[in-house]
Amino acid sequence: MRNRLTPARRTRFAARLLLWYDQNKRDLPWRRDAHDPYRVWISEILLQQTQVATVMPYYARFLARFPTVRALAAASLDDVLKTWEGAGYYARARHLHRAAQEIVARFDGKVPPTVDELLTLPGIGRYTAGAIASIAFNRDAPVLDGNVTRVLCRYLNIADDPKSAGTQKELWALAEELLPRGRAGKFNQALMDLGATVCTPRRPLCSACPLNRSCAARRLGIQAQLPAKHQKKTLPHHQVAVGLIWKRGRILIAKRFAKDLLGGLWEFPGGHQEKRESLKQCVRREVREELETEVHVEDEFAVVEHAYSHFRITLHAFNCQWVRGRPRAIGCAEYKWVSPRELSRYAFPSANRKIIAKVMGER
DNA sequence: AACACGTGGGG
DNA sequence: TCCCCAAGTGT
């Protein structure tokens, strides 16, 4: 390990950070709820790759709907997904549901306190296990997230790709080494708060940083260039067409397979446009393949742009008349005819919700 | 080890 | 507009 810190420097690091935290910590709902491991767990899952401001309303709504591990375990996955609707990364919701059932079965309904036990639950990786163990149970467990990575890379001028296995190992070791025994919960949150509010990705506020005097990157004036980022691939762009298929005031929706992208969510039947195929032909073909029924494709109803993390779609929605054949789920898990107002009971991906908004607006 | 997995906000 | 990215995990 290249970066070995002297005991004195470790102590100073923690002392300055904790003092800063006492005066600058954010007042967040899950901090008030830190005595309840279930709430800490929910907050940590919601916060994965998601900003605090986005999480806030979901946190309140989720806990109002599922106040305990047992309530979550007893709920249907559809209800859980509906509560998660719009938050993204829906595997988090599926894992949460499954983990709640495992906690009831294996841990008497209580979130386990140790990193090793937490790691056996779906959706809980090394970061989340450390966060729950330290924040809810004050165990001496380190965390390494995007914030901690940024703070440490800058503080110690670590210029290697932070995603690489070697650097990861080094960073975890450092997070562990810096941890003041008996105060892990506070220390970890302090480190993350510092990264979120002071040691920010762009234009860090070094003058407000409690660690600025001993920060290696700042001394060199290269704060903003760390941590190193690896090159991103350009996003593919797809044309997608879906059908708003009407029959006697009801509309046909299909449920996606659990394992797929947006698994377990509902959508309007349709899919990717193939080469040498018009968007109308695309809807017809997809509906035939997905539901073994025929539709008459009429006018285009709406066009929605939507960016995912790894591709971008232009989603074309067509008004369609159901022609003949009984729908039969082939390429989807399930289908249903629902009235427009019933649409709000089902969890849809963001792109489809924009179309629903138009459907409701036009009625 | 690299990729897949969502979404909304900010510069 | 476009690009970046935000308290990661699973495969």
Side-chain angles (χ1 to χ4, degrees), chain A residues 146-164:
Chain A
N147 293 126
V148 178
T149 297
R150 191 166 55 253
V151 171
L152 293 182
C153 283
R154 287 175 176 168
Y155 185 74
L156 295 165
N157 186 22
I158 296 172
D160 312 308
D161 177 3
K163 307 272 189 198
S164 77

Side-chain angles (χ1 to χ4, degrees), chain A residues 38 66-75 100-101 103-105 107-110:
Chain A
Y38 172 67
F66 312 110
T68 63
V69 174
R70 290 184 192 282
L72 178 56
Q101 295 174 340
I103 290 173
V104 168
F107 300 108
D108 189 32
K110 298 177 182 66

Side-chain angles (χ1 to χ4, degrees), chain A residues 70-89:
Chain A
R70 290 184 192 282
L72 178 56
S76 73
L77 177 57
D78 282 339
D79 281 350
V80 177
L81 285 171
K82 180 63 195 174
T83 309
W84 204 267
E85 181 185 41
Y89 286 141

Side-chain angles (χ1 to χ4, degrees), chain A residues 28-75:
Chain A
L28 303 171
W30 42 92
R31 292 198 170 145
R32 302 181 176 198
D33 295 343
H35 54 87
D36 181 351
Y38 172 67
R39 293 183 168 240
V40 172
W41 172 37
I42 301 303
S43 74
E44 288 303 337
I45 301 297
L46 272 166
L47 285 161
Q48 288 170 4
Q49 302 289 281
T50 310
Q51 297 184 334
V52 165
T54 306
V55 166
M56 219 73 94
Y58 283 96
Y59 180 75
R61 197 185 323 157
F62 195 94
L63 287 168
R65 185 96 179 70
F66 312 110
T68 63
V69 174
R70 290 184 192 282
L72 178 56

Side-chain angles (χ1 to χ4, degrees), chain A residues 2-5 9 13 148-162 167 170-171 174 178 199 211-212 214-228:
Chain A
R2 270 191 305 110
N3 288 289
R4 266 268 127 77
L5 297 166
R9 195 172 180 201
F13 184 100
V148 178
T149 297
R150 191 166 55 253
V151 171
L152 293 182
C153 283
R154 287 175 176 168
Y155 185 74
L156 295 165
N157 186 22
I158 296 172
D160 312 308
D161 177 3
T167 314
E170 178 177 10
L171 290 168
L174 285 165
L178 288 164
C199 196
L211 307 172
N212 57 13
S214 44
C215 177
R218 188 190 186 224
R219 183 157 48 239
L220 300 168
I222 56 172
Q223 312 89 303
Q225 298 162 45
L226 295 176

Side-chain angles (χ1 to χ4, degrees), chain A residues 200-331:
Chain A
T200 52
R202 294 174 282 230
R203 294 176 48 83
L205 309 169
C206 298
S207 59
C209 180
L211 307 172
N212 57 13
R213 274 170 299 175
S214 44
C215 177
R218 188 190 186 224
R219 183 157 48 239
L220 300 168
I222 56 172
Q223 312 89 303
Q225 298 162 45
L226 295 176
K229 35 198 160 281
H230 52 303
Q231 67 292 350
K232 293 241 166 85
K233 306 194 305 187
T234 51
L235 301 186
H237 190 174
H238 301 297
Q239 298 294 321
V240 169
V242 301
L244 302 171
I245 304 166
W246 294 87
K247 183 177 84 172
R248 291 201 291 271
R250 289 169 177 266
I251 195 164
L252 190 59
I253 61 174
K255 190 187 208 178
R256 299 180 62 89
F257 289 116
K259 300 251 166 159
D260 292 353
L261 172 79
L262 305 167
L265 272 68
W266 293 80
E267 66 183 4
F268 301 113
H272 278 97
Q273 180 183 31
E274 292 184 352
K275 289 186 194 113
R276 298 189 299 280
E277 179 184 54
S278 73
L279 289 163
K280 287 190 177 188
Q281 291 172 320
C282 171
V283 176
R284 252 194 308 274
R285 175 183 54 73
E286 289 281 353
V287 170
R288 197 156 46 226
E289 289 172 8
E290 213 172 316
L291 299 159
E292 272 201 356
T293 189
E294 296 293 329
V295 293
H296 175 64
V297 183
E298 301 182 329
D299 54 306
E300 181 152 330
F301 177 82
V303 182
V304 168
E305 288 276 345
H306 197 79
Y308 291 83
S309 31
H310 52 298
F311 66 95
R312 176 183 302 273
I313 65 171
T314 304
L315 179 54
H316 305 260
F318 286 85
N319 270 315
C320 298
Q321 289 297 314
W322 177 65
V323 180
R324 65 168 182 278
R326 171 193 295 271
R328 217 180 94 194
I330 305 293

Side-chain angles (χ1 to χ4, degrees), chain A residues 313-351:
Chain A
I313 65 171
T314 304
L315 179 54
H316 305 260
F318 286 85
N319 270 315
C320 298
Q321 289 297 314
W322 177 65
V323 180
R324 65 168 182 278
R326 171 193 295 271
R328 217 180 94 194
I330 305 293
C332 63
E334 191 184 336
Y335 72 87
K336 246 175 200 175
W337 294 98
V338 299
S339 69
R341 45 180 307 189
E342 285 175 318
L343 288 170
S344 64
R345 296 188 199 165
Y346 299 87
F348 285 87
S350 176

